[in-house]
Amino acid sequence: MSALAAARYGKDNVRVCKVHRDEKTGIQTVVEMTVCVLLEGDIETSYTKADNSVVVATDSIKNTVFITAKQNPVTPPELFGSILGTHFIEKYSHIHAAHVNIVTHRWVRMDIDGKPHPHSFIKPGTETRDVQVDVIEGKGIDINSAINGLTVLKSTGSQFWGFVRDEYTTLKETWDRILSTDVAANWQWRRFTGLAEVKAHFEKFNAAWEAARAITLKTFAEDNSASVQATMYKMGEQILAAAPLLDTVSYALPNNHFFEIDLSWHKGLKNTGKDAEVYAPQSNPNGLIKCTVARSGQKAKL
Ligand SMILES: O=c1[nH]c(=O)c2[nH]c(=O)[nH]c2[nH]1
């Protein structure tokens, strides 16, 4: 005998673009998102008894994403995700949880002749602003916000020495190296009681994203880094201090290596240590350093 142990379903990769037009100023704004909505509830019989009477079609879920985007603000994504998720648990009595994931793609207004253009935008890279919103009936709304795909590099101000040296070690200690990573940072909000409370804290979501992004970039640039580990911890500490409603901040940072190249075999060319100028960027393997920073007394599971 078997039983259904867990089930959720919905629509993934719903691509939505919303244009906001300010009639007075003529300034337009675009928000492009990729949305996933997964539902949970009394849907077991759809799996075990071919009973479609409990199924809100994923096509209807997709339609609901578009209608909700038309009828509501889509920013901040934390609020839009909460509105969308709450809709499903309120509209369908047998649906008890809605899991909404939103990836917001970055369109940055063009500067033309030194002036912000009213309706033209650039996608500057792979960076996205992401949220996972879990609306759970009777419990509240859990929100995790994130920055992903923000690629950065510094050409000095990074060291790595004092690490374990044994019969497995070939890496030389360095007091000056290139440091590069693709920032994946996320921050977990303390649970909200419901949509009304998310609305009440509306302005905190953009502020937290701006603080997290600014702290990440400033600390990356200015810290004389002892290691990826030490620098990312400093970032997490500052973000927690800047945003009191956060429980934890997590980072996952690949260490995208740039190796020095010894060219001394060619006419004694000096290209290592203080003479290093030409480096070999590596695609793989890469270090991957992760951590979660919590408030003291709330130590996250290691
Ligand atoms: O910042 C670093 N942390 C490490 O753990 C590590 N390991 C390594 O080989 N290089 C680095 N750099």
Side-chain angles (χ1 to χ4, degrees):
M1 270 292 275
S2 42
L4 191 70
R8 59 178 70 177
Y9 81 102
K11 204 67 141 188
D12 194 8
N13 294 309
V14 183
R15 295 190 56 187
V16 189
C17 178
K18 183 168 186 183
V19 180
H20 176 262
R21 300 184 176 86
D22 188 322
E23 300 298 345
K24 277 200 200 107
T25 61
I27 295 174
Q28 305 198 356
T29 307
V30 291
V31 178
E32 184 185 342
M33 307 176 286
T34 304
V35 182
C36 175
V37 179
L38 298 178
L39 304 180
E40 281 186 290
D42 303 325
I43 56 174
E44 184 172 339
T45 53
S46 67
Y47 294 83
T48 57
K49 305 243 181 320
D51 169 18
N52 286 344
S53 70
V54 295
V55 179
V56 179
T58 69
D59 192 65
S60 312
I61 297 173
K62 175 258 299 171
N63 291 341
T64 306
V65 174
F66 291 136
I67 292 166
T68 308
K70 173 71 184 174
Q71 294 179 333
N72 296 274
V74 294
T75 59
E78 290 87 348
L79 174 61
F80 180 64
S82 300
I83 293 170
L84 187 57
T86 301
H87 164 86
F88 287 103
I89 63 162
E90 288 185 348
K91 171 85 180 161
Y92 305 105
S93 59
H94 69 295
I95 297 298
H96 304 309
H99 307 278
V100 180
N101 187 274
I102 303 173
V103 174
T104 308
H105 307 279
R106 209 168 140 76
W107 287 109
V108 176
R109 192 173 297 284
M110 277 188 200
D111 266 333
I112 300 295
D113 297 332
K115 282 196 236 116
H117 195 270
H119 59 250
S120 297
F121 306 87
I122 289 177
K123 188 178 275 185
T126 55
E127 182 188 351
T128 55
R129 174 176 172 179
D130 305 343
V131 296
Q132 175 68 42
V133 180
D134 298 307
V135 182
I136 305 160
E137 200 173 47
K139 295 213 167 122
I141 302 182
D142 289 328
I143 303 180
N144 187 276
S145 309
I147 293 169
N148 283 304
L150 170 60
T151 300
V152 291
L153 177 149
K154 65 194 291 189
S155 52
T156 189
S158 167
Q159 320 184 10
F160 187 58
W161 49 269
F163 49 86
V164 174
R165 291 212 85 79
D166 59 18
E167 66 276 29
Y168 292 95
T169 313
T170 52
L171 187 70
K172 289 202 185 106
E173 296 186 309
T174 180
W175 282 262
D176 190 5
R177 65 175 180 175
I178 290 179
L179 185 61
S180 177
T181 191
D182 312 312
V183 175
N186 71 77
W187 47 100
Q188 182 68 41
W189 297 83
R190 65 137 177 80
R191 180 170 281 175
F192 295 95
T193 51
L195 184 54
E197 212 203 352
V198 171
K199 284 185 175 163
H201 290 290
F202 170 86
E203 79 294 346
K204 302 219 168 59
F205 299 110
N206 281 348
W209 177 81
E210 274 157 24
R213 194 169 186 279
I215 287 166
T216 300
L217 295 180
K218 186 174 165 69
T219 309
F220 178 82
E222 293 183 352
D223 186 37
N224 187 0
S225 173
S227 63
V228 174
Q229 287 90 330
T231 299
M232 74 205 298
Y233 182 73
K234 287 181 189 174
M235 294 171 178
E237 271 185 317
Q238 293 174 76
I239 295 169
L240 282 182
L245 290 189
L246 302 186
D247 276 348
T248 56
V249 176
S250 300
Y251 279 89
L253 300 181
N255 188 359
N256 296 332
H257 306 298
F258 286 68
F259 286 170
E260 289 189 3
I261 311 169
D262 184 351
L263 296 175
S264 60
W265 55 271
H266 182 79
K267 302 178 185 173
L269 264 183
K270 290 186 179 158
N271 191 53
T272 57
K274 67 176 179 26
D275 299 309
E277 288 179 294
V278 175
Y279 295 79
Q282 305 293 299
S283 316
N284 55 62
N286 58 270
L288 178 60
I289 321 285
K290 298 187 177 195
C291 77
T292 296
V293 186
R295 298 183 193 283
S296 333
Q298 266 197 306
K299 202 167 179 205
K301 276 184 215 138
L302 294 178

